[in-house]
Structures are given as structure tokens and as C-alpha cells.
Amino acid sequence: MPMLRTLLIVEDQHDLAELVALHLSDLAQRIHLCSDGVEALRIAAATPPDLVVLDLGLPGLDGLEVCRRLRASARYVPILMLTSRSSDAERVLGLELGADDYLVKPFNVMELVARAKAIVRRMDGLANAASDAVIRSGTLAIDPAARRVTLAGTPIALTAREFDLLLHFALHPGRVFTREQLLDTVWGGAHGGYAHTVNSHINRLRAKIETDAADPRWIQTVWGVGYRFAAAGAA
């Protein structure tokens, strides 16, 4: 893995922040630590990070608001959220705001490392596969550089994972992917054994881009195998 990376760790528990920095040191050449949301946004603006490890329970400006503001900027940065609360509603909100992954404290530090490396590996893979050209299939348009999707000219709000999933499909039209292959490529292999995660993301993605989710135009089920992006059928 290339070392020319910048990592931003936003955590108000100093000892935990130092521990995270120590274990993720092989991912980045530069690591910034800060303990509040305002400082995190200042650092991100001055030195755009390649990965943000973001605690939700920050003093002042909380992690959800930091995530929201980072996602409003033009440059996309992967975000791994940390929280001491295991509320499903909070987890869903964080992911809807654009977090790439989510860990509940206390967590196993090796799992944190695996998740962070998976995010970096996934972003590298998508960056290498995608060009700056907008991908068009019928009325669906996918802009890899801006990470934006429109349907008949109307912007479609996707989570980070939903966008990566759609982009992966669109980059390989007609190819059938098993759930395990999608987990390995789009999720980066950090969620092995959770094939149902793919199903739920496919369902949410279809609900956002398909007119009839029961008879999808783009993301089609190949029974007994997996899914494919039916670009030819979208023309």
C-alpha cells in the first residue's frame, strides 16, 4: 500500500486517539490528531486527508455535523465513524450522511485496522478503475469525479457505499457478481460472512434509482448467482 497518505483522527479521548494513530501508522505518511469538530474541519480544509477516523461524541460540533460538512465539500474523503452508542438509528443516520463505515466502542483495534485498510483498498480500486468521464446509461448518469448521480437530470442522494456499489456495477456492465465478490470489492473484504449486507444495499439502491424495484431496469438479479448492471437494457 502506498505511504503517501494523510490521515485525520478526530477523537476527544487522547489515549484512544494515540492508540488508533499507532495502529494505523502504516497507512499514512502524515497523521493529524484533534479532539473537536471545528479543528477537524480546519485541518481537513488546510490539508485534505485521505481517510478520516471520526468520533461522533465530540464536544461542541459533533461528529455527525462534521461528517455532513465534509460531505458538502467538493473533494470526497472516506470517513470511518466511531461511537460509544450502538443505536441503530444513529448508525443509519451516520451512513446516510455519507460515512463509509461504522464501529461501536469498545472495539477490537485489529478490526479497526481491517476496516480502515479495507476503505483505503476500496478507494484505490475504484480510483484506478474509474476515469473522470461521466458514465451514462439511459437517463442514469454517474459522475465518478464528483461522486454524483442523476436520474433524468434529477440528483439522487446516495450513501458512500451505495455510490461505490453503483459505480462498480456501471464500470462492468453485463458482468454478473456474486455477493461475496461484491463484499470483497466494494466493502473491501472487511465484512466477510455478511452477504445479507449486499442484499439490503441493493434493495435501497433500487428504491432510489429504479422506477419499479420489482422489475429493475439497471440492477438485475441473476437468480442463484448474484447481480449485474444491465446497461444494454437501459438504453
Side-chain angles (χ1 to χ4, degrees), residues 8-176:
L8 174 58
I9 300 172
V10 192
E11 169 60 62
D12 62 341
Q13 298 179 43
H14 181 72
D15 289 346
L16 179 57
E18 292 282 357
L19 180 65
V20 171
L22 175 65
H23 283 276
L24 295 182
S25 59
D26 66 334
L27 273 184
Q29 187 181 51
R30 292 177 294 183
I31 299 180
H32 299 288
L33 303 181
C34 69
S35 58
D36 68 84
V38 173
E39 179 68 2
L41 292 173
R42 186 196 68 76
I43 293 174
T47 311
D50 298 294
L51 175 65
V52 176
V53 178
L54 176 63
D55 181 32
L56 291 193
L58 298 172
L61 200 66
D62 68 17
L64 287 175
E65 182 59 26
V66 173
C67 181
R68 183 182 288 111
R69 295 190 189 187
L70 287 174
R71 281 293 167 264
S73 64
R75 184 181 183 275
Y76 186 88
V77 56
I79 298 171
L80 173 57
M81 279 188 171
L82 307 177
T83 182
S84 57
R85 293 162 287 184
S86 58
S87 164
D88 286 342
E90 184 182 63
R91 176 179 179 276
V92 169
L93 178 57
L95 295 175
E96 288 292 337
L97 286 175
D100 293 78
D101 212 339
Y102 195 103
L103 274 177
V104 177
K105 300 176 184 177
F107 50 80
N108 183 302
V109 71
M110 298 314 296
E111 182 177 6
L112 170 71
V113 172
R115 297 288 184 97
K117 287 185 175 180
I119 290 173
V120 169
R121 187 165 60 248
R122 176 170 51 83
M123 295 302 294
D124 283 349
L126 291 172
N128 291 335
S131 68
D132 289 337
V134 175
I135 302 170
R136 301 184 186 279
S137 179
T139 57
L140 184 68
I142 305 165
D143 186 337
R147 293 184 65 87
R148 293 192 180 95
V149 174
T150 58
L151 185 60
T154 301
I156 303 297
L158 300 181
T159 67
R161 193 79 71 188
E162 289 165 356
F163 179 88
D164 290 343
L165 184 59
L166 179 60
L167 177 60
H168 180 67
F169 275 126
L171 288 170
H172 306 89
R175 179 176 170 181
V176 180

